[in-house]
Amino acid sequence: MSLSSASNIAKSGLNTVSAESSVLSRNITGASDTATYSRKIANVISTLDGSRVASVTRASNLAVFGNLLGATSASATQNAISDGLDTLNQTVGDVSSSGSSTTSNSTSPAALLSNFTNALQSYEASPSSSTLAAAAVSAAAAAARGLNSAVATVNQVREQADSGIAASVQTINSLLGQFQTVNAQIVGGSATGGDVTDLQDSRDSILTKLAQQIGITTTTGSNGDMSIYTDSGVTLFQGGAARSVTFSPTNTYTAATSGNAVFADGIPITGNSAAMPVATGKIAGLASLRDSLAVTYQAQLDGIAGALINAFSETDQAAPGPDLPGLFTTQGATSLPTSTTGLAGQITVNPSVDPSQGGNALLLRDGGISDTANSDYTYNTTGDASYTARLSQLLAKLSATQTYSASGGIITSANLSDYAAASVSWLEAQRSDVSSQSNYQSTLLSTAATALSNATGVNINDEMSKMLDLENSYSATAKLLTTIDGMFSMLMTDLGNLPA
Amino acid sequence: MTSYISTQSISSSMRQSILKMQAELAASQTELSTGTYADIGQTLGARTGDSLSLQAQSSLLQTITDTNQTVATRLDTTQTILGSLQSNAQDLLNSLIESNGSNSNAGTIQASGESNLQSLISSLNSTLGGDYIFSGTNTSNQAITDYYGPAAPNKAAVDSAFTAAFGIPQTNAGVSAISASSMQTFLDTAFAPLFQGANWAAGWSSASSQTLTNRIAESQTVDTSVSANHPAFQQLAQAYTMIADLGTQNLSSPAYQTVTTVARNLLTSAISSLTDLQAGVGLVQSDINDATNQMSLQMNILSTQIGNLESVNPYEITTRVTDLQTQIETSYSLTAQLQQLSLVKYL
């Protein structure tokens, strides 16, 4: 073997060491970036003239990464629902009793009804007092306003969920677009044997972001090409082309509004009619909030409003005539409502009994609220100042059992206060359930992230010790070169000293 | 084989647990200062409605207890008035029995009749907080028309009945000529009906026979007033009027005796009715007391239940806060030490 071949091998060794150091310093730079960076490995092979870095690959664990995607989606679902329910919880407020007295701090319909019942009871004890009458009517108005604002909150939650879905769909489409570009680069790079590890990292990062919006599964082809499907099996990306996800938002929600479905590749993936509904991701959470949870809560509020209107309806005292809405009514109503849909948003106290609208609060005692011109609906025909029969009747009706629509998802037969309390129970049960789910999912997510980080991440100390190895290797190689150089010069000197 | 740990895991696990513990610490501090769960709704979940129901029930009981005060005040007043009416009636009855039919002190008796009638009228027209308490449900109008008021219809009815029967007014000295039997006939046929039925409503009473009813407990409703239309008051009014305003002073002894005998019977019967009324009011009063006591016990139980639902155990929380503090401090010092623990330091 010649000295120059030894020198060439030493040189290739120097090249290899510097290539490895470059990969190593990339690792150290990316050490704190677990979200996108995975450890790079320089694959060194021996060749005839020494060694070289043949390729750079990255540490990866598909199974763990799949778990991370799943946990990300599930956690995003729970967070979306949890946020919405927290907003709905504003309609209940603080449920604790204030200090020693047992008056509730709650702003829930249940608590407002309780206040109203108390006011009515006080009025029943002193029926001639117009002050107490006005207080009872004002408590009734507060209850009606409470229902109105609860419905406004429900609609607000649905509107926010709807615009959240729209934003999410936009994000999904833009991520799919980025994915298309990166995926094409990886396919091209792999074919020519280039270093595509950074591109793979950024593709994974796009997938992680996508998983927050919608639950996905992926498959990878032999040429590095990747396909994405929703967790329900609808294609999002295949054959190098992104499918479009579409959604037309609805801006204003009322009780009768139902939101539009999200379509992926032309197939509905949210809503009750969807054949392949997505189970996880922000979109799934928002859709269940908008189409199911908020709607059920609304039905409960409507049930309360309907029962209130019925309990306070007035009967024709003179002839067989229709019952008319009394204390509680809706704007311009001339008969009792036939359906409860949307009542909670419209319920109001009849102006004829509301002093703040020029009405007479004493009608609460006397009857005739529904139609002040028609004396047939007056209960207190003699105009007695302490007529209590109607007030006692109202109190009895307020605590009487009524029936409610099954769409409320809770008891269908109960008295008003029990129903209103059951509604609060329902809401808080959902919140408590979602909160524990959310805790569980975020623990799962952090475990998955840790597992992935351990599988593909960088340990700086490990890299530093490798650096020491490289340093040793470098100095040994350098020493080798010096030695070879010495041998060459010794050879040259000796050659010069030869006798001519 | 050793397991591989990434640098990121080492620091992020510490960071996450510190965040979690700090959130827990904040919640525990809230619980410690309020004595109730930091988020009652979330902690109780499906049982939140129970808490609200208990609070509603408790506040309703408190309201009923308060309104029972109003009712009790009305009944106390009623009871006092009934007592004084009964003792007035008893005094007059005693005087009538003492005089034993002799008309020697007829003037005094007549004056007593007048003053008793006035006191009956003013008692039945008593008000409480602006309401006439003996007016039944018609509390905005006074119960009984003042017999001595201007153009009183009850006085006019008695006058015209007397004149129709005897041809002279009661004040005429000629009343001494009225015989006992014609006086008896007058009292039975013309005078007595003035204090009953439609005549009573037209001449004497504006009260409603419908008495007030109030809910004194969640499922207990009682009559809480006495109407001036009760027969006891009609009998009292009749007895007082005949003594006060049938020319008593000038009546012949037999006619006077007829009047006093009828009045004595009426008074005896009225006193016994009054006693019944008083007993009835007393029963309602004790019902209210019982109901209020019962409700106060119930409220105690309810507030215990609410406490059980909403309250946290302060000892448990204190321990938890101490534990959390220790853990967080340990995490901090661990983080600081891990920071030192790097190969770079030793190269």
Short mmCIF file of all heavy atoms in Angstrom, two decimals, chain B residues 241-271:
data_model
loop_
_atom_site.label_atom_id
_atom_site.label_comp_id
_atom_site.label_asym_id
_atom_site.label_seq_id
_atom_site.Cartn_x
_atom_site.Cartn_y
_atom_site.Cartn_z
N THR B 241 -128.09 46.96 70.12
CA THR B 241 -128.98 47.94 69.52
C THR B 241 -130.31 47.98 70.26
O THR B 241 -130.87 49.05 70.54
CB THR B 241 -129.23 47.60 68.03
OG1 THR B 241 -128.00 47.39 67.40
CG2 THR B 241 -129.99 48.72 67.35
N MET B 242 -130.83 46.79 70.63
CA MET B 242 -132.14 46.82 71.29
C MET B 242 -132.07 47.49 72.65
O MET B 242 -132.98 48.18 73.08
CB MET B 242 -132.77 45.42 71.35
CG MET B 242 -132.09 44.41 72.23
SD MET B 242 -133.07 42.89 72.32
CE MET B 242 -132.96 42.29 70.68
N ILE B 243 -130.93 47.33 73.32
CA ILE B 243 -130.79 47.99 74.63
C ILE B 243 -130.54 49.48 74.47
O ILE B 243 -131.09 50.31 75.19
CB ILE B 243 -129.64 47.33 75.42
CG1 ILE B 243 -130.08 45.93 75.84
CG2 ILE B 243 -129.26 48.16 76.63
CD1 ILE B 243 -128.98 45.08 76.40
N ALA B 244 -129.76 49.82 73.44
CA ALA B 244 -129.36 51.21 73.28
C ALA B 244 -130.44 52.06 72.63
O ALA B 244 -130.58 53.23 72.92
CB ALA B 244 -128.09 51.27 72.44
N ASP B 245 -131.22 51.44 71.74
CA ASP B 245 -132.01 52.32 70.87
C ASP B 245 -133.46 51.89 70.69
O ASP B 245 -134.05 52.12 69.66
CB ASP B 245 -131.30 52.39 69.50
CG ASP B 245 -131.71 53.65 68.74
OD1 ASP B 245 -132.14 54.62 69.40
OD2 ASP B 245 -131.62 53.63 67.50
N LEU B 246 -134.04 51.22 71.68
CA LEU B 246 -135.48 50.93 71.55
C LEU B 246 -136.27 51.67 72.63
O LEU B 246 -137.27 51.19 73.16
CB LEU B 246 -135.74 49.42 71.64
CG LEU B 246 -135.24 48.59 70.45
CD1 LEU B 246 -135.66 47.14 70.58
CD2 LEU B 246 -135.73 49.16 69.13
N GLY B 247 -135.78 52.84 73.01
CA GLY B 247 -136.47 53.65 74.00
C GLY B 247 -136.43 53.02 75.38
O GLY B 247 -137.35 53.21 76.21
N THR B 248 -135.39 52.29 75.66
CA THR B 248 -135.25 51.51 76.88
C THR B 248 -135.64 52.29 78.16
O THR B 248 -136.41 51.79 79.00
CB THR B 248 -133.79 51.06 77.03
OG1 THR B 248 -133.31 50.68 75.74
CG2 THR B 248 -133.66 49.90 78.00
N GLN B 249 -135.16 53.52 78.25
CA GLN B 249 -135.39 54.31 79.47
C GLN B 249 -136.87 54.48 79.77
O GLN B 249 -137.26 54.48 80.92
CB GLN B 249 -134.76 55.69 79.27
CG GLN B 249 -133.36 55.76 79.82
CD GLN B 249 -132.80 57.17 79.66
OE1 GLN B 249 -132.81 57.70 78.55
NE2 GLN B 249 -132.36 57.74 80.76
N ASN B 250 -137.67 54.63 78.69
CA ASN B 250 -139.06 54.99 78.90
C ASN B 250 -140.01 53.80 78.85
O ASN B 250 -141.22 53.95 78.99
CB ASN B 250 -139.51 56.01 77.85
CG ASN B 250 -138.63 57.25 77.91
OD1 ASN B 250 -138.22 57.67 79.00
ND2 ASN B 250 -138.30 57.80 76.75
N LEU B 251 -139.48 52.60 78.59
CA LEU B 251 -140.35 51.44 78.43
C LEU B 251 -141.01 51.09 79.77
O LEU B 251 -140.45 51.31 80.84
CB LEU B 251 -139.55 50.24 77.94
CG LEU B 251 -139.14 50.20 76.46
CD1 LEU B 251 -138.32 48.94 76.18
CD2 LEU B 251 -140.34 50.28 75.55
N SER B 252 -142.19 50.51 79.63
CA SER B 252 -142.86 49.99 80.82
C SER B 252 -142.07 48.79 81.33
O SER B 252 -141.32 48.17 80.55
CB SER B 252 -144.28 49.55 80.46
OG SER B 252 -144.22 48.46 79.58
N SER B 253 -142.24 48.48 82.57
CA SER B 253 -141.46 47.41 83.17
C SER B 253 -141.61 46.08 82.42
O SER B 253 -140.62 45.41 82.14
CB SER B 253 -141.83 47.27 84.65
OG SER B 253 -141.06 46.26 85.21
N PRO B 254 -142.85 45.66 82.08
CA PRO B 254 -142.97 44.36 81.37
C PRO B 254 -142.29 44.39 79.99
O PRO B 254 -141.59 43.43 79.61
CB PRO B 254 -144.47 44.17 81.19
CG PRO B 254 -145.13 45.14 82.11
CD PRO B 254 -144.19 46.26 82.35
N ALA B 255 -142.48 45.51 79.25
CA ALA B 255 -141.85 45.62 77.93
C ALA B 255 -140.33 45.63 78.06
O ALA B 255 -139.61 44.96 77.31
CB ALA B 255 -142.32 46.88 77.20
N TYR B 256 -139.83 46.35 79.07
CA TYR B 256 -138.39 46.42 79.34
C TYR B 256 -137.84 45.03 79.63
O TYR B 256 -136.78 44.61 79.14
CB TYR B 256 -138.13 47.36 80.52
CG TYR B 256 -136.66 47.42 80.94
CD1 TYR B 256 -135.72 48.11 80.17
CD2 TYR B 256 -136.24 46.78 82.10
CE1 TYR B 256 -134.40 48.16 80.55
CE2 TYR B 256 -134.91 46.83 82.49
CZ TYR B 256 -133.99 47.53 81.72
OH TYR B 256 -132.68 47.56 82.10
N GLN B 257 -138.67 44.29 80.45
CA GLN B 257 -138.24 42.95 80.81
C GLN B 257 -138.15 42.05 79.56
O GLN B 257 -137.21 41.26 79.42
CB GLN B 257 -139.26 42.35 81.78
CG GLN B 257 -138.64 41.29 82.63
CD GLN B 257 -139.44 41.05 83.90
OE1 GLN B 257 -140.50 41.66 84.13
NE2 GLN B 257 -138.94 40.18 84.75
N THR B 258 -139.15 42.24 78.66
CA THR B 258 -139.12 41.47 77.40
C THR B 258 -137.82 41.75 76.65
O THR B 258 -137.12 40.83 76.20
CB THR B 258 -140.30 41.88 76.50
OG1 THR B 258 -141.49 41.80 77.28
CG2 THR B 258 -140.40 40.97 75.30
N VAL B 259 -137.50 43.08 76.53
CA VAL B 259 -136.29 43.47 75.80
C VAL B 259 -135.05 42.86 76.46
O VAL B 259 -134.21 42.24 75.79
CB VAL B 259 -136.16 45.01 75.74
CG1 VAL B 259 -134.78 45.41 75.21
CG2 VAL B 259 -137.24 45.59 74.86
N THR B 260 -134.93 42.99 77.78
CA THR B 260 -133.72 42.51 78.45
C THR B 260 -133.61 40.99 78.37
O THR B 260 -132.51 40.44 78.24
CB THR B 260 -133.65 42.95 79.92
OG1 THR B 260 -134.87 42.59 80.56
CG2 THR B 260 -133.41 44.44 80.03
N THR B 261 -134.76 40.30 78.44
CA THR B 261 -134.70 38.84 78.35
C THR B 261 -134.15 38.41 76.99
O THR B 261 -133.24 37.57 76.90
CB THR B 261 -136.10 38.24 78.52
OG1 THR B 261 -136.68 38.81 79.67
CG2 THR B 261 -136.01 36.72 78.64
N VAL B 262 -134.72 39.02 75.93
CA VAL B 262 -134.23 38.68 74.58
C VAL B 262 -132.73 39.00 74.48
O VAL B 262 -131.94 38.21 73.97
CB VAL B 262 -135.04 39.43 73.51
CG1 VAL B 262 -134.43 39.21 72.12
CG2 VAL B 262 -136.49 38.98 73.52
N ALA B 263 -132.36 40.20 75.01
CA ALA B 263 -130.96 40.63 74.92
C ALA B 263 -130.07 39.67 75.69
O ALA B 263 -128.97 39.32 75.23
CB ALA B 263 -130.81 42.04 75.47
N ARG B 264 -130.53 39.20 76.88
CA ARG B 264 -129.73 38.27 77.67
C ARG B 264 -129.48 36.97 76.91
O ARG B 264 -128.37 36.45 76.88
CB ARG B 264 -130.42 37.96 79.00
CG ARG B 264 -130.02 38.92 80.12
CD ARG B 264 -130.97 38.87 81.28
NE ARG B 264 -130.99 37.56 81.91
CZ ARG B 264 -131.76 37.26 82.97
NH1 ARG B 264 -132.55 38.19 83.48
NH2 ARG B 264 -131.74 36.07 83.50
N ASN B 265 -130.60 36.48 76.26
CA ASN B 265 -130.42 35.23 75.49
C ASN B 265 -129.42 35.41 74.35
O ASN B 265 -128.56 34.57 74.11
CB ASN B 265 -131.76 34.78 74.89
CG ASN B 265 -132.70 34.31 75.99
OD1 ASN B 265 -132.23 33.96 77.11
ND2 ASN B 265 -133.98 34.32 75.71
N LEU B 266 -129.58 36.57 73.65
CA LEU B 266 -128.67 36.84 72.53
C LEU B 266 -127.23 36.93 73.01
O LEU B 266 -126.32 36.34 72.41
CB LEU B 266 -129.06 38.16 71.85
CG LEU B 266 -130.26 38.11 70.90
CD1 LEU B 266 -130.65 39.52 70.49
CD2 LEU B 266 -129.93 37.27 69.66
N LEU B 267 -127.04 37.66 74.14
CA LEU B 267 -125.68 37.84 74.64
C LEU B 267 -125.06 36.51 75.05
O LEU B 267 -123.90 36.22 74.76
CB LEU B 267 -125.68 38.81 75.83
CG LEU B 267 -125.82 40.29 75.47
CD1 LEU B 267 -125.92 41.14 76.74
CD2 LEU B 267 -124.64 40.74 74.62
N THR B 268 -125.86 35.69 75.74
CA THR B 268 -125.36 34.39 76.17
C THR B 268 -124.88 33.59 74.97
O THR B 268 -123.78 33.02 74.95
CB THR B 268 -126.47 33.59 76.89
OG1 THR B 268 -127.10 34.47 77.81
CG2 THR B 268 -125.88 32.39 77.59
N SER B 269 -125.76 33.59 73.93
CA SER B 269 -125.40 32.82 72.75
C SER B 269 -124.19 33.42 72.06
O SER B 269 -123.28 32.68 71.60
CB SER B 269 -126.62 32.79 71.83
OG SER B 269 -126.25 32.61 70.52
N ALA B 270 -124.14 34.77 71.99
CA ALA B 270 -123.01 35.43 71.31
C ALA B 270 -121.71 35.15 72.05
O ALA B 270 -120.67 34.90 71.43
CB ALA B 270 -123.25 36.93 71.22
N ILE B 271 -121.75 35.19 73.40
CA ILE B 271 -120.53 34.96 74.18
C ILE B 271 -120.00 33.56 73.92
O ILE B 271 -118.79 33.35 73.73
CB ILE B 271 -120.81 35.18 75.69
CG1 ILE B 271 -120.97 36.68 75.96
CG2 ILE B 271 -119.68 34.60 76.54
CD1 ILE B 271 -121.52 37.00 77.32
#
